[in-house]
Amino acid sequence: MTQQRPCRVLIVDDSAVVRQLLTEILSADPQIEVIGSAADPYLAREKIKRSNPDVITLDVEMPRMDGLVFLENLMRLHPIPVVMISSLTQRGADTTLAALALGAVDFVSKPTLDVRNGLLGFAEQITSKVKMAARAKVCVPARPLPIATDGAAPAPALCAATRFRTTDRLIAL
């Protein structure tokens, strides 16, 4: 019986504490290998080119480039399964809907207080979602995503995705 290679994960979060905690949580699972971490999307882009991860965990609020803008660019140029891990990705929140519309596979809500114990409490959920994401088939979105013409970040795609203001909706992918 051949052993399957571990799922290779890149962690993208501006918080050093969160990067360390996620590394500990994910590395504890023998089916997951954390191949690196990045403090912002620009560093992540270089690590993706060098190491070609199977899954990326991605925060939303980061310096230099918003996580949703990075997600949109990533799905257009180099689709990889992404699990959003952010305090902004509460179930049904506009940010979650936008991330799923842009191609994220799943999300985990990062606790806003006592991040260390909160993330450790979500350890099983985080590892499970990362392993499921590794099996997901991600492809380029069917419709072209709008590109900003003034050199600014291409945020217009979020406008359509963030129109929803209720949790009484079902999203089927």
Side-chain angles (χ1 to χ4, degrees):
M1 184 170 144
T2 60
Q3 186 167 351
Q4 202 173 7
R5 103 176 150 83
C7 161
R8 303 173 73 237
V9 180
L10 175 67
I11 298 167
V12 185
D13 197 296
D14 61 323
S15 166
V17 171
V18 172
R19 288 194 309 271
Q20 179 62 37
L21 284 169
L22 288 174
T23 298
E24 290 172 17
I25 289 168
L26 295 171
S27 296
D29 190 305
Q31 297 175 356
I32 298 174
E33 174 189 359
V34 176
I35 59 169
S37 64
D40 69 48
Y42 291 99
L43 297 171
R45 183 180 62 196
E46 296 308 313
K47 291 188 179 198
I48 290 167
K49 288 178 186 176
R50 283 197 314 265
S51 58
N52 197 26
D54 298 320
V55 176
I56 296 173
T57 66
L58 181 62
D59 189 12
V60 174
E61 289 185 305
M62 289 183 288
R64 303 204 302 163
M65 183 187 295
D66 179 83
L68 293 178
V69 172
F70 178 66
L71 175 64
E72 180 178 16
N73 291 332
L74 181 68
M75 290 300 140
R76 186 171 33 87
L77 300 172
H78 190 85
I80 296 174
V82 173
V83 176
M84 302 301 293
I85 300 181
S86 174
S87 57
L88 296 179
T89 53
Q90 302 297 322
R91 186 172 302 276
D94 292 343
T95 304
T96 301
L97 294 173
L100 293 171
L102 290 170
V105 174
D106 211 335
F107 66 92
V108 176
S109 296
K110 190 189 306 178
T112 53
L113 300 173
D114 195 11
V115 174
R116 178 168 188 73
N117 288 328
L119 279 178
L120 291 173
F122 285 124
E124 187 177 321
Q125 180 183 20
I126 292 168
T127 56
S128 172
K129 288 184 178 197
V130 165
K131 289 190 284 190
M132 281 193 281
R135 294 190 301 265
K137 301 291 184 221
V138 179
C139 58
V140 179
R143 63 178 174 77
L145 299 171
I147 304 296
T149 55
D150 61 356
L158 297 182
C159 296
T162 58
R163 274 187 281 209
F164 304 104
R165 296 279 181 210
T166 179
T167 59
D168 298 334
R169 301 209 187 239
L170 173 66
I171 298 177
L173 301 176

